[in-house]
Amino acid sequence: MIEVKDVKKKKTNDNSVFGNSSFVEHEQIMFCYDKATGLKVIIAIHDTTLGPALGGTRMWNYQNEAEALTDVLRLSRGMTYKAAISGLGLGGGKAVIIGDSKKDKTPEMFRRYGQFIESLNGRYITAEDVGTSTLDMVSVRETTKNVTGLPENMGGGGDPSPVTAYGVFMGMKAATMECWGSDSLAGKKIAIQGVGHVGENLVRLATEEGAKVYITDINQEHLEDISKKYGAEIVGLDKIYDLASDIYAPCALGATLNTANIKKLKCSVIAGAANNQMADESIHGKMVSDKGILYAPDFLINAGGLINVYSELKGYDRAEALEQAKKIYSTTLEIFKMAKEENITPGEAARKIAELRIAAAKTVGA
Ligand code: NAD
């Protein structure tokens, strides 16, 4: 899957489970198979200290099982950090279905998948992700209650992307404040990579505030539509890294912050929606900082979607979800402050806070 293609090869056996370099103390991993529907899914529960593991289900045509396993492990761990830094009563988990979402999906497959989720007795709660939709979650709901991301007419919050984009926008404004002493995006040059569900909403919010927005996407037709709709300027797929922009917003794939791309970057701030933006957190986090670029941690500023589906568990309230996503602004500023004081990267600071929250909850529970 895209998130792992640039990840540095480590000297561990990624074909094994416990030996996988992304295993990092997962609590439970469940491999499920159903011959009748062709369902092959891996559910990874990273940590349930703060609550049930909530994370979406990705459907992707992985080249092999090792790739699927590495992807689900990296993503589920990210969910633990995302929930903890956002102050939510949730743990981290994620699931991947191996298959082509355009050809292999059926409602029966998702109903069967719901039965597997149900067997976990609430330890894992799912939602949609890349390759799955609100409609698929409706099928899952037929066999388990442990699903979010449902349509509004079923008590759900619908598409979480606008709330995700709003949170990214608030994180971007906090980084702008830190970098330039004012949080206004007016006149700032913002390069947005990927103008899908989240990217388009971010283009809208940034242009409304008077930013000069540059966009790229592999879907040329959609790219041109967005350009016309918001007056954003189109740039080539690889040109996005070389652009003399103020802010780079990765909103398509993970692992775009690799050695080659970081060398090209000319921006002052990185703030985007994609999960696992750094190909290798320790190497590339430091490389970005050494270049003098301010990095707003992905799992902190893209938590709006998780905040939105979390709201469903308590009785969905859009206004409350947006209010909670707004707090990403102040949390991001706190993370920058801590990073400066402790001479660590913002990513390290955010992970440290998340780990402290989990450790504190473990002590209380002990
Ligand atoms: P999406 O699939 O709607 O949009 C992704 C866009 O990126 C598409 O338009 C696609 O054509 C484009 N793209 C793919 N490969 C590209 C490439 N190489 N270069 C340029 N563009 C490319 O997905 P989304 O829901 O908007 O999510 C975007 C990112 O944010 C993903 O990494 C996702 O995991 C993350 N994220 C999304 C949410 C959410 O609420 N949707 C929440 C948290 C994180």
Side-chain angles (χ1 to χ4, degrees):
M1 167 62 194
I2 41 188
E3 259 82 0
V4 294
K5 71 173 187 186
D6 283 321
V7 177
K8 192 173 161 274
K9 292 265 177 291
K10 296 219 171 93
K11 284 189 191 124
T12 45
N13 180 4
D14 279 9
N15 287 318
S16 82
V17 177
F18 295 117
N20 188 296
S21 56
S22 302
F23 179 73
V24 226
E25 296 174 0
H26 273 72
E27 284 178 16
Q28 184 178 7
I29 300 162
M30 185 160 92
F31 291 76
C32 318
Y33 172 61
D34 181 58
K35 191 174 176 186
T37 59
L39 174 70
K40 275 187 193 166
V41 57
I42 312 174
I43 301 173
I45 297 176
H46 179 250
D47 194 293
T48 55
T49 309
L50 297 176
L54 197 158
T57 302
R58 180 164 292 193
M59 185 163 184
W60 193 259
N61 218 356
Y62 293 97
Q63 301 207 339
N64 52 54
E65 285 163 26
E67 195 189 46
L69 177 65
T70 300
D71 202 27
V72 77
L73 294 177
R74 270 169 65 83
L75 289 164
S76 63
R77 177 172 171 249
M79 294 309 292
T80 299
Y81 285 120
K82 196 182 294 198
I85 195 75
S86 309
L88 306 177
L90 291 174
K94 199 91 181 178
V96 297
I97 295 179
I98 302 171
D100 185 338
S101 65
K102 292 199 178 70
K103 289 196 308 215
D104 302 336
K105 264 201 235 185
T106 58
E108 294 73 38
M109 176 186 271
F110 283 93
R111 280 196 281 273
R112 184 71 185 102
Y113 172 44
Q115 291 173 333
F116 285 118
I117 296 175
E118 186 63 16
S119 75
L120 286 164
N121 288 321
R123 278 173 56 73
Y124 172 67
I125 302 170
T126 201
E128 64 261 62
D129 194 70
V130 177
T132 62
S133 65
T134 301
L135 214 59
D136 300 325
M137 295 309 121
V138 173
S139 300
V140 173
R141 180 66 185 84
E142 289 181 41
T143 47
T144 183
K145 285 190 301 300
N146 297 318
V147 52
T148 55
L150 291 165
E152 279 153 270
N153 62 7
M154 288 178 74
D159 176 13
S161 310
V163 183
T164 302
Y166 179 65
V168 172
F169 177 69
M170 294 316 292
M172 186 182 274
K173 282 174 76 65
T176 302
M177 172 61 112
E178 180 74 13
C179 196
W180 291 284
S182 151
D183 68 11
S184 170
L185 297 179
K188 291 280 177 289
K189 290 182 180 170
I190 306 178
I192 302 182
Q193 180 184 42
V195 286
H197 290 93
V198 181
E200 175 178 352
N201 279 292
L202 191 59
V203 173
R204 175 178 53 79
L205 291 165
T207 42
E208 275 170 8
E209 199 164 302
K212 167 77 187 137
V213 177
Y214 298 84
I215 54 173
T216 194
D217 200 292
I218 49 169
N219 183 338
Q220 195 60 30
E221 205 184 318
H222 181 60
L223 185 64
E224 280 163 23
D225 285 349
I226 300 294
S227 168
K228 277 196 206 111
K229 195 166 165 188
Y230 301 98
E233 194 172 322
I234 293 176
V235 294
L237 283 176
D238 273 339
K239 293 277 173 282
I240 200 90
Y241 303 111
D242 299 301
L243 198 75
S245 64
D246 295 306
I247 303 168
Y248 163 54
C251 296
L253 346 158
T256 60
L257 294 173
N258 57 30
T259 304
N261 291 342
I262 295 170
K263 278 186 185 160
K264 292 189 214 165
L265 287 177
K266 297 186 178 67
C267 59
S268 304
V269 164
I270 299 172
N275 284 311
N276 297 332
Q277 291 166 21
M278 304 264 175
D280 184 303
E281 283 158 8
S282 52
I283 297 173
H284 299 116
K286 182 153 186 333
M287 213 177 146
V288 163
S289 279
D290 288 349
K291 246 191 123 168
I293 298 174
L294 184 65
Y295 176 67
D298 47 12
F299 64 87
L300 162 61
I301 72 165
N302 74 9
L306 182 65
I307 289 167
N308 200 58
V309 292
Y310 180 60
S311 169
E312 285 184 31
L313 300 177
K314 303 175 290 164
Y316 185 66
D317 183 335
R318 181 75 155 205
E320 200 184 275
L322 284 167
E323 201 48 46
Q324 177 84 6
K326 194 175 183 180
K327 293 186 188 146
I328 289 174
Y329 182 93
S330 52
T331 311
T332 307
L333 284 178
E334 278 164 33
I335 292 299
F336 290 146
K337 184 165 178 276
M338 176 178 169
K340 264 197 300 207
E341 282 169 3
E342 301 194 13
N343 197 22
I344 55 179
T345 67
E348 285 166 336
R351 281 192 292 280
K352 195 168 169 181
I353 295 281
E355 280 161 8
L356 284 171
R357 281 199 184 137
I358 294 165
K362 276 197 172 120
T363 313
V364 172

